[in-house]
Amino acid sequence: MDAPVVELRNVSKHFGEGPTRVDALRDVSLDVHPGTVVGLRGPSGSGKSTLLNVIGCILEPNAGTMRLNGELVYDGRWLRPDLRGLRLEKIGFIFQSHNLLPFLNAWENVAIARTLAGATLARAKARALELLNYLGVEHRKDAMPGQLSGGEAQRIAIARALANDPRIVLADEPTAALDSQRAGAVMDLLRKVATERRTAVIVVTHDEKIFDRFDHIHLLRDGALEAMQAQAA
Amino acid sequence: MNLALKDIGHNLGRFLLTCLGLSLLLGIVLAMIGIYRGLIQESLGLVRAADVQVWVVEGGTRGPFAEASRVPGDMREAIAAQWGVAAAGAVAYQNVEAQHRGATKRLLVVGAQIAKPGEAPSVTAGRAILRSRYEAIADASAGLALGERITLGRDSFTVVGLTRDLVASGGDPVVFITLRDAQKLQFDLAPAAARREAARATAAAGSTDTVNAILVRLLPGVDPQRFVREIARWKHLSAYTQAEQETILSRSVIERARRQIGLFTSLLLVVSTVIIGLIIYTMTIDKKKSIATLKLIGAPDRRIIGLIVQQALAMGLISFAAGAALINATHGLFPRRLVLEPADAVTLFGIVLVVCLIASGLGVRTALKIDPASALAG
Ligand SMILES: Nc1ncnc2c1ncn2[C@@H]1O[C@H](COP(=O)(O)OP(=O)(O)OP(=O)(O)O)[C@@H](O)[C@H]1O
Ligand SMILES: [Mg+2]
């Protein structure tokens, strides 16, 4: 098996101090390998989003170490000054509410990520159209986000997450707003991305309908990871 | 891909509406600067039109444009006889309300001697005053036609010539008549008590010959400063060079206008700053989620600052252009002369750009504080 792209060792994260202190993550150790689709589940408030944000370098942990794509990025402190640059190149985000920029049309929403990474507009557009085609929404390329259905918007958002060929895709409840058929379609897409592009996909979900779509599901309870359940993919 | 323009395009209506409001404000600022320039031109116009080097006025005063100045009329002969004098002319100024075609007109009536300094400069239509009584030359802004008659005091005058752009510092059109007519007018319009007083004085001294200033044209090569020093030694007289007279005029008349217009201009610019600032701020708040998303994807701060500052600058640019166009198109309709100088427009444009930068500060501060993680929440 390939070396993991995400490696967490004894990562802890707490919010607040004293009586209001919340231990959102306790001693979490986790490996995610390229080409796999991994689920994170657990009760509300168990720390799923916190874990995803730590992996996405949006939240700074309080202890432990973290490697992304083999690079040690956290060891008691951030080791890279340019976390946004790291996110831009290595990590793609998919949100429950799509978060498409309302003032850009579909293909521009995808291309923006590519231009931020330094591509010319022409190249970024070509890449965006290729991804929209790949995800089956090329016919909606000129639509504004407000005109897209939930499923279409979600696929545009996935295309944007993939624009810079990230090693890691992080998705926080990407199917919560979709019916089971569309939720399944999104999971199929993420699976396709993982296998064809060797991307590590981490999905937070409450959605029992899609539990059978993961290579592994990690269960979080009170900030701690419980025994890993392997699933037949 | 310019995010600022895309976002503007997405909210075009609101953006243009704001620009429209701002353009009116900036148009008013431009108009006020134009009025101020016009004021200077207008009020100096009359003084400059005389084309003299020295103004002789009542001793201890700063001349007829700043305060009351009364000089005995016979001083003109004494001054004309001085060495170095090419010509000297006595003038009398008087603000008059005249009834004309059923409307009340405020005029500045200038009494001057025929073919002497102070008489009407070249006319644009008609001819100069030739007869010593009852002829007038009016500025075009008075709305009088050649050959028309106008009653000033108890006498009726025929308009024989027209001038252009000659108005008092208050904007009142100038009408020239002969000095003799002007002195009669002064007497006619004085309150009854003052008239009796004057009549007694006349009986005693034999003269109502008072003028407001004597304008002196010097021979080529004569130093006006030196001539002024000579006159200063005379009793009851003061003298100023043309430049000094212009400075006095701008100090007394224009300075106050400058302060008023300066105050309103600064206030309007502050209001514009606040408006641009608030609009940019609300536009930023509306984009909170987008900005968080951009940060999350990995957009550097300078892209986000650029987005906000560019929008502020675009707002200033469009508003200024629209305001300037508006004033250019309508400046003929203003009740005062508007003098639009390119240099003023360029300066104001620079100020507007600075204002935009200041105004975008609040939006930029807000945008930089947005937490990228907030894009993930719901
Ligand atoms: N910024 C914060 N400040 C303080 N406490 C926080 C913050 N973010 C999360 N927490 C707390 O940390 C704990 C874990 O929160 P987290 O959002 O990770 O839960 P979750 O598993 O994603 O829950 P849900 O399923 O409801 O989304 C919760 O108790 C939450 O209240
Ligand atoms: Mg959550």
Short mmCIF file of all heavy atoms in Angstrom, two decimals, chain A residues 53 58 84-85 87-88 91 93 95-97 99-104 107-108 111-113 115-116 121 144 160 172, chain B residues 1 3 6-7 10 287 289-291 293-301 303-304 307 371-373 375-378:
data_model
loop_
_atom_site.label_atom_id
_atom_site.label_comp_id
_atom_site.label_asym_id
_atom_site.label_seq_id
_atom_site.Cartn_x
_atom_site.Cartn_y
_atom_site.Cartn_z
N ASN A 53 -11.24 20.25 9.78
CA ASN A 53 -10.60 21.57 9.70
C ASN A 53 -9.13 21.52 10.08
O ASN A 53 -8.32 22.28 9.56
CB ASN A 53 -11.34 22.57 10.60
CG ASN A 53 -12.74 22.86 10.07
OD1 ASN A 53 -13.11 22.37 9.01
ND2 ASN A 53 -13.51 23.62 10.83
N ILE A 58 -7.05 24.62 8.66
CA ILE A 58 -7.84 25.80 8.96
C ILE A 58 -7.82 26.04 10.47
O ILE A 58 -7.87 27.17 10.93
CB ILE A 58 -9.29 25.60 8.48
CG1 ILE A 58 -9.30 25.46 6.97
CG2 ILE A 58 -10.17 26.76 8.90
CD1 ILE A 58 -10.58 24.88 6.45
N ARG A 84 -2.21 28.85 3.30
CA ARG A 84 -3.17 29.00 2.21
C ARG A 84 -2.61 28.45 0.91
O ARG A 84 -3.33 27.86 0.12
CB ARG A 84 -3.55 30.46 2.02
CG ARG A 84 -4.76 30.83 2.84
CD ARG A 84 -5.28 32.16 2.47
NE ARG A 84 -5.51 32.92 3.68
CZ ARG A 84 -5.87 34.19 3.71
NH1 ARG A 84 -6.03 34.86 2.59
NH2 ARG A 84 -6.06 34.80 4.84
N GLY A 85 -1.31 28.65 0.70
CA GLY A 85 -0.66 28.11 -0.49
C GLY A 85 -0.73 26.58 -0.47
O GLY A 85 -1.00 25.95 -1.50
N ARG A 87 -3.02 24.80 1.06
CA ARG A 87 -4.40 24.42 0.77
C ARG A 87 -4.69 24.50 -0.72
O ARG A 87 -5.32 23.62 -1.31
CB ARG A 87 -5.37 25.36 1.50
CG ARG A 87 -5.51 25.07 2.96
CD ARG A 87 -6.88 25.51 3.45
NE ARG A 87 -7.04 26.96 3.44
CZ ARG A 87 -6.68 27.75 4.43
NH1 ARG A 87 -6.11 27.26 5.50
NH2 ARG A 87 -6.87 29.05 4.35
N LEU A 88 -4.20 25.59 -1.33
CA LEU A 88 -4.47 25.83 -2.74
C LEU A 88 -3.96 24.67 -3.59
O LEU A 88 -4.63 24.21 -4.51
CB LEU A 88 -3.81 27.14 -3.16
CG LEU A 88 -4.15 27.69 -4.54
CD1 LEU A 88 -5.64 27.93 -4.66
CD2 LEU A 88 -3.39 28.99 -4.79
N ILE A 91 -5.07 20.61 -1.26
CA ILE A 91 -6.33 20.22 -0.62
C ILE A 91 -7.52 20.82 -1.36
O ILE A 91 -7.51 21.99 -1.71
CB ILE A 91 -6.35 20.69 0.86
CG1 ILE A 91 -5.13 20.15 1.60
CG2 ILE A 91 -7.64 20.26 1.55
CD1 ILE A 91 -4.95 20.69 2.99
N PHE A 93 -11.71 21.40 -1.03
CA PHE A 93 -12.82 21.36 -0.07
C PHE A 93 -14.16 21.26 -0.78
O PHE A 93 -14.40 21.93 -1.78
CB PHE A 93 -12.85 22.65 0.76
CG PHE A 93 -11.72 22.76 1.74
CD1 PHE A 93 -10.52 23.35 1.37
CD2 PHE A 93 -11.85 22.27 3.03
CE1 PHE A 93 -9.48 23.46 2.28
CE2 PHE A 93 -10.81 22.37 3.94
CZ PHE A 93 -9.62 22.97 3.56
N PHE A 95 -18.24 21.56 0.36
CA PHE A 95 -19.05 21.92 1.51
C PHE A 95 -20.47 21.42 1.33
O PHE A 95 -20.94 21.24 0.21
CB PHE A 95 -19.11 23.44 1.67
CG PHE A 95 -17.79 24.11 1.47
CD1 PHE A 95 -17.46 24.63 0.24
CD2 PHE A 95 -16.89 24.19 2.51
CE1 PHE A 95 -16.25 25.26 0.05
CE2 PHE A 95 -15.67 24.81 2.33
CZ PHE A 95 -15.34 25.35 1.09
N GLN A 96 -21.13 21.28 2.46
CA GLN A 96 -22.53 20.91 2.41
C GLN A 96 -23.34 21.91 1.59
O GLN A 96 -24.19 21.56 0.79
CB GLN A 96 -23.08 20.85 3.84
CG GLN A 96 -24.56 20.55 3.87
CD GLN A 96 -25.09 20.59 5.29
OE1 GLN A 96 -24.34 20.43 6.24
NE2 GLN A 96 -26.38 20.79 5.42
N SER A 97 -23.02 23.19 1.77
CA SER A 97 -23.81 24.22 1.08
C SER A 97 -23.09 24.74 -0.16
O SER A 97 -23.25 25.90 -0.54
CB SER A 97 -24.09 25.37 2.04
OG SER A 97 -22.88 25.81 2.61
N ASN A 99 -21.09 26.50 -1.38
CA ASN A 99 -20.25 27.69 -1.32
C ASN A 99 -19.70 28.10 -2.68
O ASN A 99 -18.54 28.46 -2.79
CB ASN A 99 -19.08 27.51 -0.36
CG ASN A 99 -19.53 27.60 1.07
OD1 ASN A 99 -20.70 27.37 1.36
ND2 ASN A 99 -18.62 27.95 1.95
N LEU A 100 -20.52 28.04 -3.69
CA LEU A 100 -20.08 28.60 -4.96
C LEU A 100 -20.12 30.12 -4.84
O LEU A 100 -20.96 30.67 -4.12
CB LEU A 100 -21.01 28.13 -6.09
CG LEU A 100 -20.96 26.63 -6.34
CD1 LEU A 100 -21.96 26.24 -7.42
CD2 LEU A 100 -19.57 26.18 -6.72
N LEU A 101 -19.19 30.80 -5.52
CA LEU A 101 -19.20 32.26 -5.47
C LEU A 101 -20.37 32.75 -6.33
O LEU A 101 -20.44 32.45 -7.52
CB LEU A 101 -17.88 32.82 -6.00
CG LEU A 101 -16.66 32.34 -5.21
CD1 LEU A 101 -15.37 32.84 -5.84
CD2 LEU A 101 -16.72 32.73 -3.75
N PRO A 102 -21.32 33.47 -5.73
CA PRO A 102 -22.57 33.79 -6.44
C PRO A 102 -22.37 34.71 -7.64
O PRO A 102 -23.23 34.78 -8.51
CB PRO A 102 -23.42 34.48 -5.36
CG PRO A 102 -22.44 34.98 -4.36
CD PRO A 102 -21.29 34.02 -4.37
N PHE A 103 -21.24 35.42 -7.67
CA PHE A 103 -21.03 36.39 -8.76
C PHE A 103 -20.25 35.79 -9.93
O PHE A 103 -19.95 36.49 -10.89
CB PHE A 103 -20.36 37.67 -8.24
CG PHE A 103 -19.16 37.44 -7.36
CD1 PHE A 103 -17.91 37.31 -7.91
CD2 PHE A 103 -19.32 37.37 -5.99
CE1 PHE A 103 -16.81 37.11 -7.10
CE2 PHE A 103 -18.22 37.16 -5.17
CZ PHE A 103 -16.95 37.03 -5.72
N LEU A 104 -19.90 34.51 -9.83
CA LEU A 104 -19.22 33.84 -10.95
C LEU A 104 -20.13 32.75 -11.49
O LEU A 104 -20.88 32.13 -10.74
CB LEU A 104 -17.90 33.22 -10.48
CG LEU A 104 -16.84 34.17 -9.90
CD1 LEU A 104 -15.58 33.40 -9.54
CD2 LEU A 104 -16.52 35.29 -10.89
N TRP A 107 -18.46 27.69 -14.79
CA TRP A 107 -17.08 27.38 -15.16
C TRP A 107 -16.09 28.33 -14.49
O TRP A 107 -14.98 27.94 -14.12
CB TRP A 107 -16.87 27.33 -16.68
CG TRP A 107 -16.85 28.65 -17.42
CD1 TRP A 107 -17.86 29.18 -18.14
CD2 TRP A 107 -15.76 29.56 -17.52
NE1 TRP A 107 -17.48 30.38 -18.67
CE2 TRP A 107 -16.20 30.64 -18.31
CE3 TRP A 107 -14.46 29.58 -17.03
CZ2 TRP A 107 -15.39 31.73 -18.62
CZ3 TRP A 107 -13.65 30.67 -17.34
CH2 TRP A 107 -14.12 31.73 -18.12
N GLU A 108 -16.54 29.60 -14.27
CA GLU A 108 -15.64 30.55 -13.59
C GLU A 108 -15.39 30.13 -12.15
O GLU A 108 -14.29 30.29 -11.61
CB GLU A 108 -16.25 31.96 -13.63
CG GLU A 108 -16.23 32.59 -15.01
CD GLU A 108 -17.06 33.86 -15.09
OE1 GLU A 108 -18.02 34.01 -14.30
OE2 GLU A 108 -16.78 34.68 -15.98
N ALA A 111 -12.74 27.64 -12.48
CA ALA A 111 -11.48 28.19 -12.99
C ALA A 111 -10.79 29.09 -11.96
O ALA A 111 -9.56 29.19 -11.95
CB ALA A 111 -11.74 28.98 -14.28
N ILE A 112 -11.57 29.73 -11.08
CA ILE A 112 -10.97 30.66 -10.13
C ILE A 112 -9.89 29.98 -9.29
O ILE A 112 -8.81 30.54 -9.05
CB ILE A 112 -12.05 31.32 -9.23
CG1 ILE A 112 -11.43 32.26 -8.19
CG2 ILE A 112 -12.89 30.33 -8.49
CD1 ILE A 112 -10.98 33.55 -8.74
N ALA A 113 -10.17 28.73 -8.88
CA ALA A 113 -9.19 28.01 -8.05
C ALA A 113 -7.89 27.83 -8.82
O ALA A 113 -6.79 27.95 -8.27
CB ALA A 113 -9.75 26.66 -7.62
N THR A 115 -6.80 29.72 -11.41
CA THR A 115 -6.09 30.99 -11.63
C THR A 115 -5.41 31.46 -10.35
O THR A 115 -4.34 32.06 -10.40
CB THR A 115 -7.04 32.12 -12.12
OG1 THR A 115 -8.06 32.31 -11.16
CG2 THR A 115 -7.66 31.79 -13.45
N LEU A 116 -6.03 31.17 -9.20
CA LEU A 116 -5.38 31.54 -7.94
C LEU A 116 -4.04 30.83 -7.81
O LEU A 116 -3.10 31.36 -7.22
CB LEU A 116 -6.27 31.19 -6.75
CG LEU A 116 -7.48 32.09 -6.51
CD1 LEU A 116 -8.35 31.53 -5.40
CD2 LEU A 116 -7.03 33.50 -6.18
N LEU A 121 -6.00 32.49 -17.57
CA LEU A 121 -7.44 32.29 -17.62
C LEU A 121 -7.80 31.24 -18.68
O LEU A 121 -8.67 30.39 -18.47
CB LEU A 121 -8.14 33.61 -17.92
CG LEU A 121 -9.66 33.54 -17.88
CD1 LEU A 121 -10.15 33.09 -16.52
CD2 LEU A 121 -10.28 34.88 -18.25
N MET A 144 -25.40 30.69 -13.69
CA MET A 144 -24.99 31.28 -12.43
C MET A 144 -25.43 30.33 -11.31
O MET A 144 -26.40 29.58 -11.47
CB MET A 144 -25.63 32.65 -12.23
CG MET A 144 -25.23 33.70 -13.26
SD MET A 144 -23.45 33.98 -13.40
CE MET A 144 -23.13 35.00 -11.95
N ARG A 160 -14.63 22.29 -8.59
CA ARG A 160 -13.72 23.31 -8.07
C ARG A 160 -12.70 22.68 -7.12
O ARG A 160 -11.52 23.02 -7.16
CB ARG A 160 -14.50 24.40 -7.33
CG ARG A 160 -13.59 25.48 -6.76
CD ARG A 160 -14.35 26.58 -6.09
NE ARG A 160 -15.07 26.07 -4.92
CZ ARG A 160 -15.98 26.77 -4.26
NH1 ARG A 160 -16.29 27.98 -4.67
NH2 ARG A 160 -16.60 26.25 -3.22
N ASP A 172 -17.37 18.04 4.00
CA ASP A 172 -18.15 18.05 5.25
C ASP A 172 -19.63 17.93 4.90
O ASP A 172 -20.23 18.86 4.38
CB ASP A 172 -17.88 19.35 6.02
CG ASP A 172 -18.23 19.21 7.50
OD1 ASP A 172 -18.95 18.25 7.84
OD2 ASP A 172 -17.77 20.05 8.30
N MET B 1 -9.26 36.78 -14.39
CA MET B 1 -10.64 36.93 -13.95
C MET B 1 -10.68 38.00 -12.87
O MET B 1 -10.08 37.83 -11.82
CB MET B 1 -11.13 35.59 -13.40
CG MET B 1 -12.62 35.52 -13.30
SD MET B 1 -13.19 33.95 -12.65
CE MET B 1 -12.14 32.75 -13.43
N LEU B 3 -12.34 39.62 -10.03
CA LEU B 3 -13.44 39.33 -9.10
C LEU B 3 -14.24 40.60 -8.79
O LEU B 3 -15.47 40.54 -8.66
CB LEU B 3 -12.88 38.75 -7.81
CG LEU B 3 -12.19 37.39 -7.95
CD1 LEU B 3 -11.63 36.93 -6.61
CD2 LEU B 3 -13.17 36.35 -8.48
N LYS B 6 -16.61 41.22 -11.60
CA LYS B 6 -17.66 40.19 -11.64
C LYS B 6 -18.70 40.45 -10.57
O LYS B 6 -19.90 40.34 -10.80
CB LYS B 6 -17.03 38.81 -11.42
CG LYS B 6 -16.10 38.38 -12.54
CD LYS B 6 -16.88 37.80 -13.69
CE LYS B 6 -15.92 37.39 -14.79
NZ LYS B 6 -16.61 36.93 -15.98
N ASP B 7 -18.21 40.82 -9.38
CA ASP B 7 -19.14 41.05 -8.28
C ASP B 7 -19.99 42.29 -8.54
O ASP B 7 -21.19 42.31 -8.25
CB ASP B 7 -18.36 41.20 -6.96
CG ASP B 7 -19.29 41.33 -5.77
OD1 ASP B 7 -20.24 40.53 -5.69
OD2 ASP B 7 -19.09 42.23 -4.95
N HIS B 10 -22.66 41.44 -10.83
CA HIS B 10 -23.70 40.64 -10.18
C HIS B 10 -24.69 41.51 -9.42
O HIS B 10 -25.86 41.18 -9.29
CB HIS B 10 -23.03 39.65 -9.22
CG HIS B 10 -23.96 38.62 -8.68
ND1 HIS B 10 -24.25 38.53 -7.34
CD2 HIS B 10 -24.67 37.65 -9.29
CE1 HIS B 10 -25.11 37.54 -7.16
NE2 HIS B 10 -25.37 36.99 -8.32
N LYS B 287 -20.55 39.76 1.11
CA LYS B 287 -19.66 38.77 0.48
C LYS B 287 -18.91 37.94 1.51
O LYS B 287 -17.97 37.24 1.16
CB LYS B 287 -18.63 39.50 -0.40
CG LYS B 287 -19.14 39.91 -1.75
CD LYS B 287 -18.00 40.24 -2.69
CE LYS B 287 -17.25 41.46 -2.28
NZ LYS B 287 -17.99 42.71 -2.49
N LYS B 289 -19.36 35.24 3.11
CA LYS B 289 -19.23 33.81 2.84
C LYS B 289 -18.30 33.58 1.65
O LYS B 289 -17.46 32.67 1.68
CB LYS B 289 -20.62 33.23 2.56
CG LYS B 289 -20.61 31.75 2.36
CD LYS B 289 -21.53 31.07 3.34
CE LYS B 289 -21.42 29.56 3.19
NZ LYS B 289 -22.22 28.85 4.17
N SER B 290 -18.46 34.40 0.62
CA SER B 290 -17.58 34.26 -0.56
C SER B 290 -16.13 34.49 -0.17
O SER B 290 -15.23 33.78 -0.65
CB SER B 290 -17.98 35.26 -1.64
OG SER B 290 -19.29 35.01 -2.08
N ILE B 291 -15.90 35.49 0.68
CA ILE B 291 -14.52 35.79 1.06
C ILE B 291 -13.95 34.64 1.89
O ILE B 291 -12.80 34.21 1.68
CB ILE B 291 -14.47 37.13 1.82
CG1 ILE B 291 -14.76 38.28 0.85
CG2 ILE B 291 -13.11 37.33 2.48
CD1 ILE B 291 -14.94 39.62 1.49
N THR B 293 -14.85 31.58 1.66
CA THR B 293 -14.61 30.49 0.71
C THR B 293 -13.32 30.72 -0.06
O THR B 293 -12.51 29.79 -0.22
CB THR B 293 -15.79 30.39 -0.28
OG1 THR B 293 -17.00 30.27 0.46
CG2 THR B 293 -15.62 29.20 -1.20
N LEU B 294 -13.12 31.95 -0.51
CA LEU B 294 -11.88 32.26 -1.24
C LEU B 294 -10.66 31.97 -0.38
O LEU B 294 -9.67 31.37 -0.83
CB LEU B 294 -11.87 33.73 -1.68
CG LEU B 294 -12.69 34.05 -2.92
CD1 LEU B 294 -12.86 35.54 -3.09
CD2 LEU B 294 -12.03 33.44 -4.16
N LYS B 295 -10.73 32.39 0.89
CA LYS B 295 -9.60 32.14 1.79
C LYS B 295 -9.40 30.64 1.98
O LYS B 295 -8.27 30.15 2.02
CB LYS B 295 -9.87 32.78 3.16
CG LYS B 295 -9.70 34.28 3.19
CD LYS B 295 -9.88 34.77 4.61
CE LYS B 295 -9.61 36.25 4.72
NZ LYS B 295 -9.73 36.72 6.12
N LEU B 296 -10.52 29.93 2.08
CA LEU B 296 -10.44 28.49 2.30
C LEU B 296 -9.81 27.80 1.09
O LEU B 296 -8.95 26.93 1.23
CB LEU B 296 -11.85 27.96 2.52
CG LEU B 296 -11.91 26.57 3.13
CD1 LEU B 296 -11.44 26.64 4.57
CD2 LEU B 296 -13.33 26.04 3.09
N ILE B 297 -10.22 28.20 -0.10
CA ILE B 297 -9.62 27.61 -1.29
C ILE B 297 -8.13 27.91 -1.33
O ILE B 297 -7.34 27.13 -1.82
CB ILE B 297 -10.28 28.19 -2.57
CG1 ILE B 297 -11.75 27.84 -2.63
CG2 ILE B 297 -9.59 27.66 -3.82
CD1 ILE B 297 -12.46 28.54 -3.78
N GLY B 298 -7.73 29.05 -0.79
CA GLY B 298 -6.31 29.38 -0.77
C GLY B 298 -5.97 30.72 -1.38
O GLY B 298 -4.82 31.00 -1.67
N ALA B 299 -6.98 31.60 -1.58
CA ALA B 299 -6.68 32.92 -2.14
C ALA B 299 -5.87 33.74 -1.15
O ALA B 299 -6.22 33.79 0.03
CB ALA B 299 -7.98 33.65 -2.47
N PRO B 300 -4.78 34.35 -1.62
CA PRO B 300 -3.98 35.17 -0.71
C PRO B 300 -4.70 36.47 -0.36
O PRO B 300 -5.60 36.91 -1.08
CB PRO B 300 -2.70 35.47 -1.52
CG PRO B 300 -3.11 35.31 -2.94
CD PRO B 300 -4.22 34.30 -2.97
N ASP B 301 -4.31 37.07 0.77
CA ASP B 301 -4.97 38.30 1.24
C ASP B 301 -4.97 39.40 0.19
O ASP B 301 -5.91 40.16 0.09
CB ASP B 301 -4.27 38.82 2.51
CG ASP B 301 -4.72 38.04 3.73
OD1 ASP B 301 -5.76 37.37 3.64
OD2 ASP B 301 -4.02 38.09 4.74
N ARG B 303 -5.36 39.26 -2.92
CA ARG B 303 -6.47 39.12 -3.86
C ARG B 303 -7.75 39.67 -3.25
O ARG B 303 -8.57 40.30 -3.91
CB ARG B 303 -6.70 37.63 -4.22
CG ARG B 303 -5.82 37.09 -5.31
CD ARG B 303 -5.92 37.88 -6.61
NE ARG B 303 -7.15 37.64 -7.36
CZ ARG B 303 -7.26 36.78 -8.37
NH1 ARG B 303 -6.21 36.07 -8.75
NH2 ARG B 303 -8.40 36.64 -9.00
N ILE B 304 -7.91 39.41 -1.95
CA ILE B 304 -9.14 39.83 -1.28
C ILE B 304 -9.13 41.35 -1.06
O ILE B 304 -10.13 42.03 -1.29
CB ILE B 304 -9.30 39.04 0.03
CG1 ILE B 304 -9.67 37.60 -0.34
CG2 ILE B 304 -10.36 39.66 0.93
CD1 ILE B 304 -9.25 36.57 0.63
N LEU B 307 -9.84 42.92 -4.36
CA LEU B 307 -11.27 42.86 -4.69
C LEU B 307 -12.00 44.07 -4.10
O LEU B 307 -12.76 44.75 -4.79
CB LEU B 307 -11.83 41.54 -4.12
CG LEU B 307 -13.33 41.36 -4.01
CD1 LEU B 307 -13.95 41.32 -5.38
CD2 LEU B 307 -13.66 40.07 -3.27
N ASP B 371 -12.95 34.57 9.16
CA ASP B 371 -12.29 33.29 9.40
C ASP B 371 -12.62 32.32 8.26
O ASP B 371 -13.79 32.09 7.97
CB ASP B 371 -12.81 32.73 10.74
CG ASP B 371 -12.20 31.39 11.09
OD1 ASP B 371 -11.27 30.95 10.36
OD2 ASP B 371 -12.64 30.78 12.08
N PRO B 372 -11.59 31.76 7.61
CA PRO B 372 -11.89 30.84 6.50
C PRO B 372 -12.79 29.68 6.93
O PRO B 372 -13.60 29.19 6.14
CB PRO B 372 -10.51 30.35 6.05
CG PRO B 372 -9.53 30.85 7.05
CD PRO B 372 -10.15 31.97 7.81
N ALA B 373 -12.68 29.28 8.21
CA ALA B 373 -13.50 28.16 8.67
C ALA B 373 -14.98 28.49 8.63
O ALA B 373 -15.82 27.59 8.56
CB ALA B 373 -13.10 27.77 10.10
N ALA B 375 -16.60 29.49 6.28
CA ALA B 375 -17.18 29.03 5.02
C ALA B 375 -17.75 27.62 5.17
O ALA B 375 -18.65 27.22 4.43
CB ALA B 375 -16.11 29.03 3.92
N LEU B 376 -17.23 26.88 6.13
CA LEU B 376 -17.66 25.49 6.29
C LEU B 376 -18.99 25.38 7.01
O LEU B 376 -19.77 24.48 6.75
CB LEU B 376 -16.60 24.72 7.09
CG LEU B 376 -15.27 24.57 6.36
CD1 LEU B 376 -14.19 24.11 7.31
CD2 LEU B 376 -15.42 23.59 5.21
N ALA B 377 -19.22 26.33 7.92
CA ALA B 377 -20.45 26.25 8.70
C ALA B 377 -21.64 26.43 7.78
O ALA B 377 -21.72 27.41 7.05
CB ALA B 377 -20.44 27.32 9.78
N GLY B 378 -22.58 25.52 7.88
CA GLY B 378 -23.89 25.52 7.20
C GLY B 378 -23.95 26.17 5.90
O GLY B 378 -24.12 27.21 5.54
#
